[in-house]
């Protein structure tokens, strides 16, 4: 089963929160408060995302973290790679031939195609796509409220 760990899920939540203001410098404490993720976990993920060049960090009293690229340039595949490692549903998808049956395997090629389809899907979703849904929801609710109040008059 292909599964994203809770830590990676938290990493995506953090990045989506930061993408709301992509040029702003965020501190770990503030991110933890707004995402309800424990600060030690936030700090760990921020360091890993920085190491993998998805965030830039600034040290000092007024330091923090900022996105390294625009939300439209960061893919979910990039996040998964940074936090989980290469996307692979089987060992042979990584190019490793640990399996003794590899030379005679009849399903290696189909697994590679499936792995590529999953990778393509994750590459097609941008960080921006994750946040634009959240931005539209309050607008829809606001418009529904206006329509209801208009009907009452």
């Amino acid at each position: 089963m292909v599964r994203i760990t809770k830590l990676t899920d938290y990493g995506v939540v953090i990045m989506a929160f930061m993408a709301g203001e992509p040029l702003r410098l965020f501190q770990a404490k503030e991110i933890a408060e707004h995402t309800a993720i424990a600060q030690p976990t936030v700090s760990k993920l921020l360091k890993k995302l920085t190491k993998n060049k998805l965030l830039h960090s600034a040290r000092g009293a007024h330091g923090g973290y900022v996105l390294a690229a625009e939300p439209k340039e960061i893919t979910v595949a990039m996040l998964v790679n940074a936090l989980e490692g290469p996307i692979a549903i089987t060992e042979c998808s990584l190019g490793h031939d640990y399996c003794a049956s590899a030379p005679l395997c009849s399903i290696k090629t189909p697994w590679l195609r499936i792995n590529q389809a999953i990778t393509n899907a994750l590459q097609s979703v941008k960080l921006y796509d994750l946040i634009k849904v959240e931005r539209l929801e309050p607008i829809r609710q606001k418009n529904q409220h206006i329509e209801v109040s208009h009907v009452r008059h």
Side-chain angles (χ1 to χ4, degrees):
M1 175 168 86
V2 177
R3 184 167 184 219
I4 301 296
T5 65
K6 193 172 209 169
L7 208 55
T8 298
D9 185 32
Y10 288 162
V12 174
V13 169
I14 289 167
M15 291 291 285
F17 170 72
M18 293 177 70
E21 295 182 67
L23 301 176
R24 185 167 163 234
L25 204 60
F26 291 92
Q27 294 182 339
K29 181 179 178 183
E30 176 187 10
I31 294 169
E33 289 170 359
H34 281 88
T35 61
I37 300 170
Q39 188 170 342
T41 302
V42 169
S43 295
K44 176 181 179 178
L45 288 165
L46 291 171
K47 287 176 186 169
K48 197 166 189 179
L49 291 163
T50 301
K51 180 181 176 190
N52 283 282
K53 299 180 174 40
L54 292 173
L55 296 176
H56 292 299
S57 65
R59 295 182 183 261
H62 299 287
Y65 297 86
V66 65
L67 295 182
E70 290 290 322
K72 289 183 179 181
E73 297 173 11
I74 299 171
T75 67
V76 172
M78 292 166 74
L79 296 172
V80 171
N81 272 311
L83 298 169
E84 297 279 346
I87 299 165
I89 58 173
T90 62
E91 285 294 328
C92 61
S93 298
L94 288 170
H96 300 157
D97 288 326
Y98 295 127
C99 179
S101 302
L104 304 171
C105 184
S106 64
I107 61 169
K108 181 177 181 177
T109 301
W111 275 126
L112 292 174
R113 283 198 318 261
I114 293 166
N115 195 79
Q116 189 59 53
I118 292 168
T119 300
N120 292 345
L122 293 173
Q123 288 173 338
S124 72
V125 180
K126 312 286 189 214
L127 185 57
Y128 176 80
D129 298 325
L130 300 177
I131 64 168
K132 72 179 183 181
V133 173
E134 292 176 15
R135 289 181 176 169
L136 292 176
E137 195 58 37
I139 294 169
R140 285 188 196 128
Q141 290 174 356
K142 185 177 179 182
N143 287 341
Q144 288 173 353
H145 178 69
I146 291 170
E147 290 172 18
V148 170
S149 64
H150 180 68
V151 172
R152 289 182 188 162
H153 291 288

